[in-house]
Amino acid sequence: AQSVTQLGSHVSVSEGALVLLRCNYSSSVPPYLFWYVQYPNQGLQLLLKYTTGATLVKGINGFEAEFKKSETSFHLTKPSAHMSDAAEYFCAVTLNQGGKLIFGQGTELSVKP
Amino acid sequence: KAGVTQTPRYLIKTRGQQVTLSCSPISGHRSVSWYQQTPGQGLQFLFEYFSETQRNKGNFPGRFSGRQFSNSRSEMNVSTLELGDSALYLCASSLVRGNSYEQYFGPGTRLTVT
């Protein structure tokens, strides 16, 4: 069965510092991987996705993630945090295009001035 | 293009009642999925509809049901509401283009059961 683990339910960084949010997945076959962001009282916004091809994926708002099959990881990074990045971030996996995403428990990112 | 829309945005119901939530997908998207989000359980998959047929189902009791219409709009229904059904219900529509797959979420319906 597929599963997703996000290490750290809360991450705090200073404005301008590197953001690193960790995601590890469990899957018997190459999955499709996604990162979503959720602001308070809103739905989920797709940040980036990995389906096939290049393992380093660039998304919106300066975020990127690297698919590492050997480590079963898909960590999200951003070189320089901005106050507006404060939100909850979810990693998700699906094995096929059948509409069922399995989500991690989420990581709340705080950005200190 | 307009995004995924969900109505109503907020709903307060009493235990034992039933509720119907509506979702309109992005134009051209034929797949609609529903998720429940709670602080304790996180984001959990309810079901997915494609071309008016339920294609996938999560581990929820039969009180949770859904349907999809010919225009791809979808509704989900919860009967005999319980306090534990209080949650944010998210709808997502999907686009499949070759090997590319993306799922776009609506703003959600916040259901409170008292």
Side-chain angles (χ1 to χ4, degrees):
Chain A
Q2 311 155 64
S3 66
V4 176
T5 302
Q6 290 184 238
L7 296 174
S9 58
H10 291 90
V11 170
S12 181
V13 300
S14 297
E15 193 172 17
L18 171 72
V19 175
L20 171 61
L21 304 182
R22 300 177 188 273
C23 172
N24 287 88
Y25 68 91
S26 172
S27 173
S28 57
V29 297
Y32 294 162
L33 294 157
F34 307 85
W35 274 100
Y36 285 89
V37 61
Q38 185 177 35
Y39 297 99
N41 298 315
Q42 294 188 26
L44 303 176
Q45 181 182 13
L46 180 64
L47 276 178
L48 48 78
K49 68 178 192 280
Y50 170 78
T51 50
T52 59
T55 56
L56 182 60
V57 179
K58 293 188 185 300
I60 62 172
N61 301 339
F63 285 94
E64 62 182 41
E66 186 170 10
F67 170 61
K68 292 188 176 180
K69 185 179 177 181
S70 61
E71 298 177 8
T72 60
S73 69
F74 190 58
H75 301 332
L76 181 71
T77 60
K78 181 174 181 177
S80 177
H82 192 272
M83 296 297 290
S84 61
D85 295 327
E88 188 149 23
Y89 291 79
F90 293 92
C91 181
V93 63
T94 185
L95 286 186
N96 54 42
Q97 297 163 350
K100 177 180 179 179
L101 292 179
I102 305 297
F103 285 89
Q105 285 297 100
T107 297
E108 185 175 351
L109 175 66
S110 301
V111 182
K112 300 174 292 187
Chain B
K1 250 185 191 181
V4 178
T5 58
Q6 292 186 246
T7 56
R9 291 292 312 277
Y10 302 91
L11 207 48
I12 301 175
K13 289 287 189 178
T14 303
R15 206 167 34 172
Q17 288 185 315
Q18 75 163 15
V19 66
T20 299
L21 312 181
S22 181
C23 171
S24 292
I26 293 171
S27 178
H29 290 196
R30 294 166 62 192
S31 168
V32 173
S33 300
W34 289 88
Y35 296 84
Q36 181 195 65
Q37 185 177 25
T38 60
Q41 299 299 316
L43 281 152
Q44 294 186 286
F45 173 78
L46 280 156
F47 30 64
E48 184 231 2
Y49 286 86
F50 180 82
S51 293
E52 301 180 65
T53 301
Q54 188 180 85
R55 190 163 65 171
N56 268 303
K57 189 177 188 308
N59 295 323
F60 278 81
R63 299 185 297 107
F64 292 82
S65 63
R67 59 177 176 168
Q68 186 180 34
F69 302 95
S70 58
N71 62 357
S72 293
R73 189 177 70 86
S74 177
E75 289 181 348
M76 68 163 280
N77 184 78
V78 188
S79 63
T80 319
L81 283 166
E82 300 177 359
L83 295 179
D85 297 333
S86 294
L88 180 67
Y89 290 88
L90 293 163
C91 165
S93 73
S94 306
L95 175 66
V96 178
R97 264 191 298 225
N99 283 326
S100 177
Y101 176 74
E102 296 175 352
Q103 201 163 115
Y104 296 93
F105 284 80
T109 294
R110 172 76 62 185
L111 172 65
T112 302
V113 181
T114 62

